[in-house]
Amino acid sequence: MQACQRHNYYHHHSAAARAQPESKICWSCHRSSAPTALLCDNERCRAIQPVGKGVTYFDLLLDDGKPSFDVSAADLRRRFLKLQQTVHPDSFSQKEDVERKLAEAQSSWINHAYATLKDPLSRARYLLKLQGREIDEKDQIADPELLMEIMESREEIEMAKTESQVADIRLRNEQKVAGVVERLSQAFASGDLARARDLTHHLQYLRRISQTVHGWEPSDA
């Protein structure tokens, strides 16, 4: 999706769904800093700051800060490593207790942000949460076709006798995952959140199939 399309959609939807991040007041020098600042903006201070109120994972890990399903894995990784280098707890081991605790909190938050955005399923769930469309993992399958698909896949796994059969199931499931991810991208790009929510449910169940396949072991019978 082009940047302008992403901007137009989220400009009209995200702004209304969540409050804008608040500027920070440094605990040390009491000067104002940007919501996403890891360190105080005051060059004479540069004390580590707490996680900003209202700041999203996109604000911190994407250069433009715009929520989007379409992200560059390489850019995300580059940004993550840069941020972690700034707040790594080892760099604050000789600082006072408040700074050590803030470094640990920032590092943990950045780790969780990266883990969320690098994975298509958790990224989709997070986007929906920002829009007030949070998905419960315990939600039941409402689509009869999807229910039948999942039941057939589980039966195939249970009936599988050889590594070759399981490998074939794994390949077909991976192809389904790729197709759902592509449709998710289109749904988010067009602002069809109802469709995006349905597809995220689909992807969630395909992920469970992947986990089942990964844990398959040949029967002794």
Side-chain angles (χ1 to χ4, degrees):
M1 177 175 54
Q2 297 298 317
C4 61
Q5 292 177 308
R6 187 175 73 210
H7 172 78
N8 288 339
Y9 166 59
Y10 285 103
H11 176 74
H12 293 297
H13 293 73
S14 268
R18 64 182 179 88
Q20 293 303 302
E22 299 178 14
S23 295
K24 299 176 183 179
I25 301 299
C26 178
W27 60 271
S28 181
C29 72
H30 308 294
R31 298 280 187 89
S32 177
S33 292
T36 57
L38 301 180
L39 305 178
C40 179
D41 287 342
N42 180 3
E43 291 296 335
R44 293 184 178 182
C45 177
R46 302 302 285 166
I48 188 167
Q49 299 299 298
V51 176
K53 293 182 179 179
V55 172
T56 73
Y57 298 157
F58 294 102
D59 290 327
L60 206 59
L61 282 171
L62 295 191
D63 289 334
D64 62 5
K66 302 264 190 319
S68 174
F69 183 75
D70 301 309
V71 299
S72 164
D75 289 346
L76 200 65
R77 179 70 177 171
R78 172 187 55 78
R79 179 74 172 163
F80 164 70
L81 291 175
K82 181 179 179 181
L83 295 174
Q84 274 294 12
Q85 186 177 28
T86 301
V87 301
H88 197 283
D90 287 351
S91 300
F92 296 85
S93 61
Q94 302 304 313
K95 299 287 188 177
E96 58 182 289
D97 189 54
V98 64
E99 292 190 84
R100 291 198 301 271
K101 289 181 178 178
L102 286 173
E104 290 172 0
Q106 281 279 22
S107 181
S108 176
W109 195 86
I110 292 168
N111 279 335
H112 193 265
Y114 177 64
T116 299
L117 296 191
K118 75 176 182 177
D119 175 64
L121 175 57
S122 58
R123 186 167 65 248
R125 287 169 57 90
Y126 184 61
L127 274 168
L128 289 169
K129 180 179 179 180
L130 291 179
Q131 300 296 329
R133 303 289 188 95
E134 190 167 3
I135 286 181
D136 189 332
E137 289 189 4
K138 297 180 181 179
D139 285 351
Q140 299 297 311
I141 302 176
D143 183 347
E145 291 186 9
L146 175 57
L147 178 60
M148 181 62 67
E149 176 188 329
I150 299 302
M151 291 177 63
E152 289 176 352
S153 294
R154 287 175 176 167
E155 184 176 359
E156 274 192 287
I157 296 170
E158 290 174 1
M159 297 294 291
K161 302 295 184 182
T162 67
E163 292 280 0
S164 176
Q165 290 175 321
V166 174
D168 182 59
I169 297 170
R170 180 185 298 110
L171 177 60
R172 283 186 279 116
N173 195 67
E174 288 173 351
Q175 291 170 339
K176 290 177 182 178
V177 166
V180 171
V181 168
E182 177 61 29
R183 295 199 295 277
L184 259 174
S185 173
Q186 296 168 359
F188 277 118
S190 65
D192 189 346
L193 295 181
R195 176 65 171 158
R197 199 172 191 278
D198 289 342
L199 288 167
T200 301
H201 270 300
H202 194 165
L203 186 58
Q204 190 165 266
Y205 280 97
L206 291 177
R207 176 66 58 82
R208 292 175 185 172
I209 294 297
S210 296
Q211 292 168 345
T212 303
V213 169
H214 182 73
W216 179 87
E217 293 181 356
S219 172
D220 294 332

